[in-house]
Amino acid sequence: MKITIIAGARPNFIKIAPIIKAIEKKQNEGSQISFRLVHTGQHYDKNLSDTFFEELGIPQPNSNLDVKSGSQAVQTGAIMVAFENELIQNPCDLVLVVGDVNSTMACTIVAKKMNIKVAHVEAGIRSGDMTMPEEINRMVTDSITDYFFTTSTSASDNLLKQNVNSSNIHFVGNVMIDTLYQNLNRISAPGFWDKNGLSFQNYMVLTLHRPSNVDEEQSLIRLLQGIDSMVEDKKVIFPIHPRTKAILGEIDLKLKNIIFVEPQSYLNFMFLIKNSFAVITDSGGISEETTVLGIPCFTMRTTTERPETIAIGTNNLVGISIENLTLEFLKFLKNGLAQKGIPELWDGKASDRIISILLSKK
């Protein structure tokens, strides 16, 4: 079986690392399976791309489509054109896509039009928010995928509701958690740890990148100033996304607690998450990692495609207003965590399950 694996953006790299390890394990056991790794170039900042390959032991891509940034349509179109040529030159039996970025949808469409089967890892998750580009990517990808690998029973249920054949839906667990477990003993403090007087649980981590939170300068400034005031004596480490940094420009926000840092490598970022007092984010994936690590997480969104992190884990969906975030944060300070738990099959073995299932489909 020849598999072409697609990686386009930072979360993709975290998800493909254990899948590649699972393939290599099967190769060592004598299975007839090989892979070709295609990097679409959707994220091209070194800290958002190259570092992840180095740290997670991902081999250098066999091909880099080098599409870089652009509007949703420009980027998707560029990926499709480049990936079609890649598949013409390097035929395969299966294209494996992960997550919900533009690369996921674009490469799925190309593969299916060339009559190549597609496996979608992290299939079936839904936020219900059609204003999110990721939601469109998920829906389109899952409408034409052949093999669906889900992280939760609710994701499997979503697929059944859209009349996907149950024999093609496989609840396997979470590959991002595979990566977390495989690297917990390798995480390390970033260089600014001592300089900023950080110690276990005396700081929080903040990540913001969604348009609803960062695209309007004044509302972003108000949000940051509100968080700075809300945390009182806690420091807040903010690895600032390049696009968010550009929006703020050179404005002096006069913040006393928020520390701006560059995007972090995986091992440094997981160290920060694991040892933090709490996390404020608008990411979906981070709420999965905080759930497994037992770290309180406040997600600044009105919807989530990962309801299990709320029902079972440590995630709190708080909307996008600083007022509601402050209210929920104060409740947490008073009452502590409502609950702590790890969802079913988030055990570090999802990737092994995926490759075993694909080999059974030959």
Side-chain angles (χ1 to χ4, degrees):
M1 174 181 281
K2 293 182 179 179
I3 301 177
T4 292
I5 300 174
I6 305 301
R10 175 178 176 142
N12 290 175
F13 310 139
I14 301 170
K15 292 165 188 172
I16 66 166
I19 293 172
I20 289 173
K21 284 184 173 66
I23 291 174
E24 291 171 341
K25 180 180 176 182
K26 286 296 185 183
Q27 287 175 330
N28 291 335
E29 293 172 357
S31 294
Q32 296 300 305
I33 184 170
S34 63
F35 70 92
R36 180 175 174 83
L37 179 57
V38 175
H39 183 353
T40 66
Q42 186 174 329
H43 275 177
Y44 53 94
D45 179 281
K46 181 174 175 61
N47 283 335
L48 294 179
S49 177
D50 292 358
T51 300
F52 282 72
F53 283 81
E54 296 162 7
E55 285 194 338
L56 299 179
I58 303 170
Q60 284 301 306
N62 299 97
S63 175
N64 190 326
L65 306 185
D66 200 29
V67 297
K68 294 191 168 62
S69 61
S71 70
Q72 295 285 328
V74 167
Q75 190 176 71
T76 300
I79 294 168
M80 291 179 70
V81 170
F83 188 54
E84 180 182 53
N85 187 55
E86 159 68 25
L87 284 182
I88 290 170
Q89 295 182 33
N90 301 281
C92 64
D93 302 308
L94 176 85
V95 169
L96 187 147
V97 297
V98 296
D100 51 24
V101 298
N102 288 341
S103 299
T104 304
M105 178 186 70
C107 292
T108 297
I109 293 172
V110 171
K112 290 301 294 180
K113 284 183 174 256
M114 297 177 70
N115 295 314
I116 299 170
K117 289 188 179 296
V118 174
H120 183 199
V121 175
E122 207 178 72
I125 63 172
R126 298 288 185 272
S127 69
D129 183 357
M130 295 295 287
T131 67
M132 292 177 62
E134 296 93 338
E135 186 76 349
I136 308 300
N137 293 342
R138 295 172 196 133
M139 295 176 70
V140 173
T141 299
D142 284 341
S143 70
I144 55 177
T145 287
D146 297 283
Y147 307 124
F148 304 80
F149 295 104
T150 66
T151 60
S152 66
T153 54
S154 64
S156 297
D157 289 342
N158 289 335
L159 294 169
L160 290 171
K161 289 173 186 175
Q162 70 176 59
N163 298 317
V164 172
N165 188 323
S166 61
S167 66
N168 292 327
I169 301 171
H170 305 279
F171 170 36
V172 293
N174 193 329
V175 294
M176 185 175 281
I177 303 308
D178 292 6
T179 298
L180 178 63
Y181 282 140
Q182 289 172 10
N183 291 279
L184 266 181
N185 64 346
R186 301 178 60 236
I187 61 175
S188 57
F192 57 78
W193 177 267
D194 291 331
K195 175 184 174 184
N196 288 285
L198 301 180
S199 60
F200 296 160
Q201 296 198 321
N202 82 332
Y203 66 94
M204 297 172 60
V205 175
L206 170 67
T207 78
L208 296 171
H209 73 281
R210 294 195 180 276
S212 58
N213 288 324
V214 305
D215 274 8
E216 206 287 304
E217 179 188 283
Q218 289 306 310
S219 63
L220 173 59
I221 290 172
R222 182 170 175 270
L223 176 59
L224 291 175
Q225 290 174 335
I227 292 172
D228 191 67
S229 174
M230 177 190 80
V231 298
E232 296 182 350
D233 61 341
K234 299 284 185 189
K235 295 298 180 185
V236 179
I237 304 302
F238 184 15
I240 188 165
H241 192 281
R243 190 163 66 88
T244 308
K245 187 175 183 179
I247 290 168
L248 288 175
E250 301 300 321
I251 300 171
D252 182 6
L253 301 180
K254 296 182 172 59
L255 304 174
K256 66 181 188 302
N257 292 313
I258 297 179
I259 301 169
F260 293 86
V261 298
E262 293 297 311
Q264 296 298 293
S265 70
Y266 179 79
L267 297 180
N268 286 165
F269 187 66
M270 281 301 104
F271 182 94
L272 290 171
I273 295 292
K274 183 178 185 296
N275 296 297
S276 67
F277 177 73
V279 171
I280 301 169
T281 186
D282 57 11
S283 163
I286 289 175
S287 69
E288 296 176 314
E289 291 156 334
T290 53
T291 282
V292 170
L293 294 171
I295 302 297
C297 181
F298 299 87
T299 298
M300 296 205 67
R301 291 169 53 186
T302 56
T303 61
T304 180
E305 60 282 355
R306 294 167 171 89
E308 63 275 12
T309 63
I310 296 172
I312 301 168
T314 60
N315 190 20
N316 301 273
L317 199 65
V318 299
I320 60 174
S321 74
I322 183 59
E323 291 80 10
N324 206 50
L325 170 63
T326 302
L327 178 66
E328 294 300 321
F329 184 70
L330 291 176
K331 283 183 187 177
F332 158 67
L333 291 180
K334 181 180 179 181
N335 303 318
L337 278 175
Q339 60 188 8
K340 183 189 296 187
I342 298 177
E344 184 182 1
L345 293 188
W346 289 23
D347 57 5
K349 300 175 183 177
S351 301
D352 290 332
R353 295 185 188 106
I354 289 168
I355 300 307
S356 292
I357 291 168
L358 288 177
L359 283 169
S360 74
K361 301 286 187 182
K362 287 198 301 182

